[in-house]
Amino acid sequence: MLIRKPTDISPSEITPDSVYTKRRTLIKAALGGGAIAAAFPASRLLMDMPEERKAAKLGLLSKSEFSTNEEQTPYGDVTSYNNFYELGTGKDDPARNAGFLQTRPWTVLVDGEVKKERTFGIEELLKLAPLEERIYRLRCVEAWSMVVPWVGFPLSALIKQMEPTGNAKYVEFTTLHDPQQLPGQRIPLLDWPYTEGLRMDEAMNPLTLLTLGLYGEVLPNQNGAPVRIVVPWKYGFKSAKSIVRIRFTENQPATSWNEIGGQEYGFYANVNPNVDHPRWSQARERRIGELLKRDTLMFNGYADQVASLYAGMDLKKFY
Ligand SMILES: Nc1nc2c(c(=O)[nH]1)N[C@H]1C(S)=C(S)[C@@H](COP(=O)(O)O)O[C@H]1N2
Ligand SMILES: [Mo]
């Protein structure tokens, strides 16, 4: 399969309404590996596996003052050790099942508390603001971390263009809901589609990146193609993948992990070595590719940029 250059892509079709119909049932049972395997038809797996993904280059990228100069996690690790439950629950499943997901045409609906709702084709999003390279640490709640050269632009550029109303206090992100393309959605692990959310000031923070690529190329499907969020001071699950909708809300939106396990996964989910997950410590982490664990930093090392957002808040309560 060949991914065309962003400039070759024709205007997108409107995403079907079914994508936005949120299921009401919340099934809290996590199922075993047998059910997962059964949801991914083996024949299609082989047929749809691209032999060699040749990702489109994203052209000249400006560097960012927010980039870390730590050693980058190799491309092979970034694209083969993933969390993307819609493509399987094993770390190597998303790369193996990536061929199910079709990322063209693709649209993102921006609606809710905005002056005028709008649907962006992915090719429009790619041109909405200058693309930057942002080398960020990203730490999973499971106590591993990576350093990834993401490509994108601050989400604030999109928000400003959309002119949210005075009632917009939060932003909700919704992943594509299509069990054909995301077969993990045939299993009620989470209340699909995956949703996440940020407070408006978090969404406007210059670190919050609307992400379209990594390592100078368009995002591989397993990393959340064609567009995802990256919020580097929060646990990885806040960084929703394969987004089809961005909605401004007055009230704090329900988020998938918080709904399924509120004691373990809070709405804020700021990386915090002093607040343990109920089942394990968050004080240390393993950088993928390294043997020894390292200390986890407050706000994942981005305290200078974001600590002020939480001034006066009890971070044990608002975890
Ligand atoms: N739609 C969706 N987004 C998701 C997830 C997911 O399962 N589904 N997993 C999250 C978690 S737990 C992490 S750690 C990051 C992993 O991003 P990466 O695979 O690109 O490193 O994606 C996040 N975004
Ligand atoms: Mo994660």
Side-chain angles (χ1 to χ4, degrees):
M1 182 185 158
L2 248 163
I3 295 174
R4 290 167 294 172
K5 288 198 302 273
T7 43
D8 296 341
I9 295 149
S10 58
S12 298
E13 290 157 18
I14 304 300
T15 310
D17 279 346
S18 64
V19 167
Y20 306 118
T21 32
K22 220 184 157 184
R23 294 184 323 118
R24 294 273 166 257
T25 41
L26 176 65
I27 306 169
K28 299 196 174 187
L31 301 178
I36 309 266
F40 291 86
S43 55
R44 286 209 50 200
L45 254 181
L46 289 173
M47 249 165 43
D48 294 350
M49 272 284 283
E51 281 170 11
E52 176 71 36
R53 256 167 198 284
K54 222 44 218 104
K57 293 270 183 289
L58 283 171
L60 278 180
L61 308 167
S62 64
K63 303 284 174 207
S64 168
E65 55 176 320
F66 297 118
S67 287
T68 172
N69 53 22
E70 286 169 277
E71 198 183 326
Q72 296 170 29
T73 305
Y75 180 88
D77 290 333
V78 172
T79 58
S80 68
Y81 190 89
N82 300 101
N83 269 341
F84 195 170
Y85 275 17
E86 292 91 327
L87 292 175
T89 51
K91 300 291 178 234
D92 53 352
D93 287 340
R96 195 147 30 90
N97 295 321
F100 284 101
L101 177 61
Q102 302 297 318
T103 60
R104 295 292 187 281
W106 192 278
T107 57
V108 180
L109 170 67
V110 185
D111 69 341
E113 292 289 345
V114 279
K115 191 174 176 193
K116 191 174 180 295
E117 70 173 52
R118 184 174 160 191
T119 300
F120 290 88
I122 191 65
E123 63 282 354
E124 293 176 288
L125 273 187
L126 275 158
K127 285 183 280 192
L128 188 125
L131 295 177
E132 296 173 28
E133 179 171 80
R134 293 279 186 97
I135 306 164
Y136 281 162
R137 292 177 288 276
L138 190 66
R139 187 193 186 282
C140 181
V141 73
E142 296 163 24
W144 49 266
S145 63
M146 293 188 180
V147 175
V148 182
W150 303 107
V151 179
F153 55 80
L155 177 64
S156 63
L158 173 71
I159 296 178
K160 282 176 195 153
Q161 181 165 332
M162 289 303 295
E163 300 184 57
T165 72
N167 293 333
K169 304 273 160 43
Y170 295 89
V171 189
E172 177 193 63
F173 308 96
T174 306
T175 294
L176 173 71
H177 192 194
D178 181 350
Q180 299 279 67
Q181 298 190 55
L182 297 172
Q185 291 174 342
R186 295 172 188 167
I187 302 152
L189 283 169
L190 294 171
D191 183 21
W192 310 116
Y194 192 103
T195 60
E196 259 308 333
L198 296 172
R199 217 170 56 189
M200 196 60 157
D201 57 347
E202 298 177 323
M204 287 295 292
N205 186 276
L207 283 179
T208 302
L209 196 70
L210 193 78
T211 303
L212 297 142
L214 58 77
Y215 270 102
E217 302 173 353
V218 298
L219 279 175
N221 289 0
Q222 59 268 38
N223 293 93
V227 57
R228 67 176 293 176
I229 287 293
V230 176
V231 192
W233 73 94
K234 293 178 179 282
Y235 292 119
F237 67 88
K238 296 297 290 183
S239 296
K241 294 179 168 180
S242 304
I243 293 169
V244 293
R245 186 181 188 184
I246 299 174
R247 185 170 70 103
F248 297 91
T249 66
E250 180 159 17
N251 299 314
Q252 184 176 303
T255 59
S256 291
W257 283 106
N258 185 240
E259 281 200 322
I260 204 135
Q263 285 74 34
E264 305 197 357
Y265 311 105
F267 176 80
Y268 284 92
N270 292 316
V271 174
N272 189 338
N274 309 315
V275 177
D276 288 338
H277 184 280
R279 291 185 280 137
W280 58 82
S281 165
Q282 293 292 28
R284 293 168 72 70
E285 70 197 49
R286 191 173 68 85
R287 183 69 50 88
I288 297 301
E290 291 182 1
L291 226 49
L292 300 175
K293 287 193 170 183
R294 57 171 71 213
D295 289 342
T296 286
L297 304 174
M298 189 63 202
F299 297 114
N300 203 24
Y302 299 96
D304 287 352
Q305 287 85 11
V306 301
S308 62
L309 296 173
Y310 311 102
M313 279 175 69
D314 178 354
L315 296 178
K316 287 200 160 65
K317 190 168 168 224
F318 298 100
Y319 57 95

